[in-house]
Amino acid sequence: MLRVSFALNASREQVVATEQQAHEIVIVGGGAGGLELATRLGNKLGKKKNRAHITLIDASPSHLWKPLLYEVAAGSLDSYAERLEYLAQAHWHHFRFRLGRMDGLDREKQEISVAPTLDEDGVEIIPRRSFRYDTLIIAVGSVGNDFGVPGVKEHCIMLDTPEQAREFHRRHINACLRAHTQTAAVTSAQHTVGIVGAGATGVELAAELHDTTRELSAYGLEKIDPDKTLKLLIVEASDRILPGLPPRLSAAAAERLGELGVEVYTNERVVEVRANGMLTADGKLIPASMMVWSAGIKAPDFLKEIDGLETNRNNQLIVRATLQTTRDDNIFALGDCAACPMPDGKNVPPRAQAAHQQASLMAKAICRRFRGKPLLDYEYRDYGSLVALGRFSTVGNLMGGLSGGSIMIEGALARVVYWSLHKMHEVALHGWVKTAMTTYAHFISTPTRARIKLH
Ligand SMILES: Cc1cc2nc3c(=O)[nH]c(=O)nc-3n(C[C@H](O)[C@H](O)[C@H](O)COP(=O)(O)OP(=O)(O)OC[C@H]3O[C@@H](n4cnc5c(N)ncnc54)[C@H](O)[C@@H]3O)c2cc1C
């Protein structure tokens, strides 16, 4: 699309037509941050196609909000029912979507390269492509960091993508079905799930697995005794679970996990993962039949010093408060793949709420840039942290309030606040009316939906 602008040449009193290309905005990664940004920019700028082209590129054809992955793994959420097709969202919100995995950058040509897309048999569907940009926003999120520990790749599942979460669920269900139908007696702890890392992902997964395995037994797999057949254990290197959150929140979560029968090993650093368990630094083998690695994250490896951009040891692109990368004003980064410093010297934490805030700010900032105004500075606002501990229990802290500090919340209120974070994401994508309608539809269909995914 070409933009034709007219400039008045005062001396000759003549209108001169100049042709200028529409501004190309390319967003890579349609996750918690990138998809919200593409939707907002599409709504604001996309209709006037002669002003800007907004292109979203993602390695996957559909979007699932990442904090839901532990529910997919435990079987309490059907990822196929919850996903959002990028092409449809692009059509509704005036941007275009292109499928593919970014693997290179040429800053001089202002181009990114996208690897060929292959089908399950390795046959090429889409060839290698490149996309030109005037403004590039990288929002490719993070992946699990195995810190080079041997055996993680071979024996652990990570929860980075819906495919991995579904793979975990499939193996878990198969282990339960095997136990239910075997002729020999089911032994205690026959199916042991070991989770390495007691951050929010590990803790939430353990509690949710406890609940869904109970449901499975109630649905007719009665040979499975959820308190005996399934053993859940978490191994954590630091001295408490949820080490990134306030100690009293860790204590409340630890108490709840204790009630659920989850075994927690703290001060135990896993140095090797074997087919039959996790070896700790002091030589102890903690046996497990299935293992999940949720001990830390890093930005994807392809970002490491990509075409001379500044990155840290976790491959995150270092950005300024405007979210511009330190060495290129036309390249921005947001969400988990960005290292954005805060006034206290720490980086903005890798959270959905940060990605959401950054996407809102970027949408405003890019529109300002179009009007020739300066960019805006991002300031992280921590509204608190919430950890779901199964269906009926949530603990967390809310920041702010009258005290200006943090207030600890638990139970139903915490559950509602936890749930509202996802709803805010949906509102950013669909607006209030559609979100209210789909939420209502979800509730009224509850009696005809299984509480857990059984296959
Ligand atoms: C199980 C779990 C529970 C969590 N719970 C919470 C919570 O309760 N609260 C909270 O605040 N945060 C939570 N988080 C963290 C939160 O999910 C992330 O901080 C947030 O999703 C980051 O958003 P993002 O936009 O940076 O990346 P993501 O949402 O991860 O999206 C990245 C996107 O980039 C795409 N992509 C990746 N590489 C490429 C490439 N090379 N080319 C093209 N596309 C690519 C991916 O397909 C994906 O769509 C949780 C995370 C997990 C795993």
Side-chain angles (χ1 to χ4, degrees):
M1 179 70 68
L2 293 176
R3 186 171 70 188
V4 182
S5 62
F6 295 93
L8 189 67
N9 184 324
S11 58
R12 283 183 283 152
E13 298 215 328
Q14 193 182 37
V15 175
V16 180
T18 57
E19 287 189 332
Q20 214 182 323
Q21 277 195 324
H23 192 92
E24 291 289 343
I25 301 173
V26 174
I27 303 164
V28 187
L35 185 56
E36 289 191 15
L37 176 63
T39 303
R40 285 178 200 271
L41 283 179
N43 289 340
K44 287 185 174 168
L45 302 172
K47 277 188 205 153
K48 299 172 193 150
K49 290 200 168 58
N50 54 347
R51 283 196 78 195
H53 280 165
I54 297 129
T55 305
L56 173 69
I57 298 170
D58 199 285
S60 163
S62 59
H63 163 80
L64 184 76
W65 196 56
K66 203 171 177 183
L68 298 176
L69 287 182
Y70 80 91
E71 291 181 53
V72 175
S76 49
L77 188 123
D78 181 352
S79 62
Y80 293 106
E82 290 289 329
R83 70 187 169 177
L84 173 63
E85 301 294 339
Y86 286 120
L87 272 175
Q89 180 74 359
H91 171 68
W92 295 325
H93 296 278
H94 320 289
F95 62 93
R96 60 178 188 166
F97 171 69
R98 295 293 178 259
L99 177 67
R101 184 174 289 280
M102 175 182 172
D103 64 355
L105 169 69
D106 186 331
R107 290 203 282 140
E108 208 176 294
K109 286 193 191 160
Q110 303 209 163
E111 264 181 20
I112 62 154
S113 60
V114 171
T117 303
L118 313 177
D119 69 11
E120 302 80 45
D121 304 320
V123 179
E124 187 175 288
I125 311 169
I126 307 170
R128 173 170 287 285
R129 289 181 289 176
S130 55
F131 293 85
R132 204 193 69 75
Y133 64 83
D134 294 302
T135 300
L136 173 66
I137 299 117
I138 302 180
V140 292
S142 56
V143 293
N145 192 347
D146 66 9
F147 303 102
V149 172
V152 175
K153 283 190 184 68
E154 294 81 2
H155 306 299
C156 288
I157 298 184
M158 298 214 184
L159 292 186
D160 295 331
T161 64
E163 291 73 30
Q164 290 169 330
R166 285 195 291 267
E167 172 65 12
F168 176 90
H169 176 243
R170 195 181 57 76
R171 287 203 218 165
H172 171 60
I173 287 283
N174 287 351
C176 291
L177 287 173
R178 207 172 293 126
H180 177 68
T181 49
Q182 71 192 31
T183 40
V186 178
T187 55
S188 178
Q190 172 166 325
H191 177 36
T192 300
V193 178
I195 300 169
V196 186
T201 304
V203 168
E204 288 181 333
L205 177 65
E208 194 75 10
L209 271 174
H210 175 271
D211 276 15
T212 53
T213 311
R214 267 176 191 274
E215 294 273 351
L216 208 57
S217 165
Y219 275 175
L221 302 193
E222 66 281 342
K223 270 178 84 178
I224 297 169
D225 179 344
D227 293 325
K228 293 202 182 103
T229 318
L230 172 73
K231 183 170 170 181
L232 292 163
L233 46 93
I234 303 183
V235 188
E236 168 59 46
S238 85
D239 60 356
R240 62 184 171 98
I241 65 163
L242 301 170
L245 299 181
R248 58 184 180 152
L249 220 156
S250 301
E255 194 184 324
R256 177 70 186 137
L257 288 183
E259 286 163 13
L260 300 179
V262 178
E263 273 178 32
V264 178
Y265 295 80
T266 49
N267 290 314
E268 295 283 10
R269 195 164 51 84
V270 173
V271 291
E272 189 186 333
V273 180
R274 297 182 178 165
N276 60 345
M278 296 149 288
L279 188 70
T280 64
D282 57 11
K284 192 176 357 174
L285 183 76
I286 303 174
S289 49
M290 235 175 103
M291 286 158 283
V292 179
W293 186 266
S294 61
I297 56 161
K298 61 176 181 175
D301 289 336
F302 82 94
L303 283 185
K304 193 175 175 59
E305 291 173 7
I306 189 166
D307 202 19
L309 292 181
E310 193 183 1
T311 51
N312 63 14
R313 66 193 170 102
N314 288 333
N315 304 331
Q316 288 172 304
L317 290 160
I318 301 179
V319 296
R320 291 166 264 167
T322 52
L323 303 180
Q324 282 166 303
T325 50
T326 48
R327 294 181 187 153
D328 196 320
D329 284 356
N330 295 321
I331 303 182
F332 297 73
L334 60 85
D336 287 5
C337 71
C340 181
M342 297 192 289
D344 64 2
K346 291 183 187 157
N347 284 333
V348 171
R351 295 208 189 135
Q353 56 172 313
H356 170 78
Q357 292 168 15
Q358 291 176 339
S360 309
L361 177 111
M362 277 292 302
K364 281 191 205 126
I366 288 184
C367 291
R368 282 171 66 89
R369 215 184 188 203
F370 260 74
R371 296 197 296 271
K373 291 188 174 172
L375 293 165
L376 299 165
D377 280 354
Y378 172 67
E379 204 181 308
Y380 175 59
R381 296 200 62 188
D382 187 356
Y383 291 105
S385 303
L386 290 142
V387 181
L389 296 163
R391 195 175 167 191
F392 299 109
S393 180
T394 300
V395 295
N397 67 326
L398 291 184
M399 305 302 282
L402 293 176
S403 64
S406 105
I407 319 159
M408 176 116 171
I409 55 166
E410 271 185 77
L413 173 65
R415 191 76 197 171
V416 170
V417 180
Y418 183 89
W419 180 74
S420 66
L421 185 63
H422 181 213
K423 289 293 146 194
M424 271 162 58
H425 177 62
E426 290 190 339
V427 168
L429 299 184
H430 310 299
W432 286 101
V433 175
K434 284 186 191 158
T435 303
M437 276 160 52
T438 49
T439 306
Y440 178 64
H442 181 84
F443 276 121
I444 58 171
S445 67
T446 305
T448 54
R449 260 187 300 115
R451 263 273 305 140
I452 47 167
K453 198 166 177 294
L454 300 158
H455 53 85

